[in-house]
Amino acid sequence: MSPIFRQAMLAGALPGMLVLLAACSNAATPSETPRPVLVTRAGDSGPAATAYAGEIRAREESALSFRVGGNLIRRDVDVGARVKRGDLLAVLDPGDLRLQAQAAQAQLAAAEAELGRARADQVRYAQLEKQQLVSRSALDAQNAAFRAAEGQARAARANMDVARNQAEYSQLRAPRDGVIASRQAEAGQVVAAGQTVFTLAGDAGREVAIALPEASIRDFSVGQPVLVELWNAPGERLPGKIREIAPAADPQARTYAARIALQGDAANAVELGQSARVYAAGVGRATLTLPLSALQRDANGRSAVWVVDPQTQRVHAVTVRTGAFGEDSVPVLDGLRPDALVVAAGGHLLRENQWVAPVDRENRPLYPNQQKRLTASAK
């Protein structure tokens, strides 16, 4: 075959070969299909982390006890009794205390008699010294005896006052208005001075006692507003504020004791001992949490997550700032909206702007109708 004829055949066959290659190329390029991904809402578990369990307590709780020891012969109130300031609560046997008061009174009488004799001698010696019938030193000695008698009389008078006070201490009275919260002694029992007999819950106000975690103690401050929800009244929030925070953590529990003061009429809506939950709005910037499987690393080594655009159903990498890692979750401090739709698993297989089909944990499509429209437009 001549070269001229071969070139003519190739020239005639070239257009057909180009058409065939173009057809094969179109057949080998499949249309893009969305990748199913498991997604979660960033704010699903955030608010629950700010609730703290507590108990309704009185603002003023007093452990009432006798200032002297003795035999408890009478108890006039019981647990739950409402008392007024000055009401008699319990009585000790006053026999020995009365005898001590009588002995002190007798000692005072003897000291005053001695003082009278010393005063008379001092006056008499002063007159004799003027007449030069006694020496000056004798008068000085009598003056010293008179001052000593005065001191003994003052001491005896003070002892008698103490004895009388102790006799009165045999009666235990309420220091303020309130309710008897507990009782630790019964009639017939011998109690020591300072031993608690009753616990009085004052009427000055009602508070919620809670324990704040050591990890987030800097997120709380005195005066911070909070909401209180009673266990027996779910959904009803009472206003309050943090009144005090312990300066040191409990050595065993490693928590800080705090008191929440109820405001306004809220204090009248609670009873002592009720269980409550305290919600601190905005406590801890980590109000969003994500599963650990949602966290990825970007090209610069920073933490990032894949966020699904609900309009286009394509993913975009978003850099976030996280807190301390938990057992199966991580708090998000910054960079993510509370309503963001985040890929919870399989993020290492995705790429920027990739088309995905979001599904929930029960493998149900989140946007079934929109998925069909996007698939039809892609074809």
Side-chain angles (χ1 to χ4, degrees):
M1 182 180 296
S2 65
I4 297 175
F5 183 74
R6 185 182 299 112
Q7 291 179 359
M9 290 182 61
L10 291 174
L14 183 58
M17 293 177 64
L18 292 176
V19 173
L20 181 61
L21 289 175
C24 293
S25 176
N26 292 335
T29 304
S31 60
E32 183 182 6
T33 57
R35 176 184 292 274
V37 292
L38 176 64
V39 295
T40 183
R41 292 286 181 185
D44 283 350
S45 59
T50 60
Y52 301 91
E55 180 185 2
I56 303 298
R57 306 281 291 273
R59 179 170 182 174
E60 296 179 352
E61 294 180 344
S62 304
L64 305 183
S65 60
F66 289 98
R67 299 174 67 173
V68 295
N71 181 25
L72 183 63
I73 62 174
R74 198 174 80 219
R75 176 178 56 80
D76 294 343
V77 295
D78 208 339
V79 176
R82 179 164 293 278
V83 297
K84 297 292 184 179
R85 179 179 180 180
D87 287 353
L88 184 62
L89 306 180
V91 178
L92 292 179
D93 184 2
D96 294 341
L97 299 175
R98 287 177 180 173
L99 292 176
Q100 291 177 5
Q102 293 174 4
Q105 188 174 5
Q107 292 175 357
L108 175 60
E112 288 179 343
E114 179 64 23
L115 175 61
R117 186 192 64 80
R119 183 182 292 111
D121 289 346
Q122 190 265 348
V123 172
R124 184 168 55 254
Y125 268 73
Q127 293 176 354
L128 292 175
E129 193 274 335
K130 289 180 180 180
Q131 299 173 5
Q132 296 184 352
L133 296 177
V134 295
S135 65
R136 181 66 183 178
S137 61
L139 178 60
D140 293 341
Q142 193 58 42
N143 290 336
F146 172 70
R147 289 192 295 270
E150 282 186 326
Q152 291 176 355
R154 286 195 298 269
R157 189 175 295 107
N159 289 334
M160 187 191 68
D161 292 339
V162 171
R164 286 180 177 176
N165 290 339
Q166 289 183 338
E168 295 178 358
Y169 294 157
S170 63
Q171 297 181 350
L172 181 61
R173 297 185 178 274
R176 63 179 62 88
D177 297 350
V179 178
I180 301 299
S182 64
R183 181 187 69 249
Q184 287 82 26
E186 289 290 349
Q189 182 177 345
V190 177
V191 297
Q195 179 179 341
T196 301
V197 179
F198 298 104
T199 299
L200 177 66
D203 289 342
R206 295 292 180 261
E207 297 181 339
V208 185
I210 63 173
L212 300 178
E214 183 180 16
S216 59
I217 188 60
R218 293 186 179 274
D219 295 328
F220 299 90
S221 61
V222 174
Q224 179 177 343
V226 296
L227 294 176
V228 178
E229 181 182 84
L230 299 178
W231 181 83
N232 61 350
E236 183 179 351
R237 304 287 175 88
L238 304 176
K241 65 178 180 179
I242 299 179
R243 185 180 66 85
E244 67 176 18
I245 300 176
D250 183 88
Q252 296 181 349
R254 305 310 305 168
T255 56
Y256 288 79
R259 287 295 187 103
I260 308 301
L262 295 174
Q263 299 177 339
D265 296 335
N268 300 324
V270 299
E271 297 295 338
L272 294 174
Q274 284 185 305
S275 299
R277 287 186 293 267
V278 176
Y279 294 90
V283 169
R285 293 160 296 182
T287 57
L288 307 179
T289 58
L290 290 175
L292 291 177
S293 57
L295 206 62
Q296 307 294 326
R297 293 292 180 182
D298 61 10
N300 299 322
R302 297 173 300 182
S303 299
V305 295
W306 291 108
V307 176
V308 180
D309 186 345
Q311 300 298 326
T312 62
Q313 292 187 205
R314 295 185 179 273
V315 294
H316 304 281
V318 175
T319 303
V320 295
R321 185 165 61 93
T322 62
F325 281 45
E327 183 177 353
D328 54 4
S329 62
V330 57
V332 179
L333 304 180
D334 192 17
L336 197 62
R337 300 191 314 272
D339 59 344
L341 199 62
V342 180
V343 176
H348 61 288
L349 301 176
L350 301 177
R351 65 180 185 276
E352 181 66 23
N353 204 36
Q354 185 173 354
W355 189 16
V356 295
V359 297
D360 59 14
R361 293 192 177 276
E362 296 182 2
N363 202 26
R364 295 175 303 187
L366 265 65
Y367 310 107
N369 296 330
Q370 185 178 6
Q371 182 68 38
K372 292 178 181 180
R373 291 196 302 270
L374 292 175
T375 304
S377 63
K379 293 180 179 180

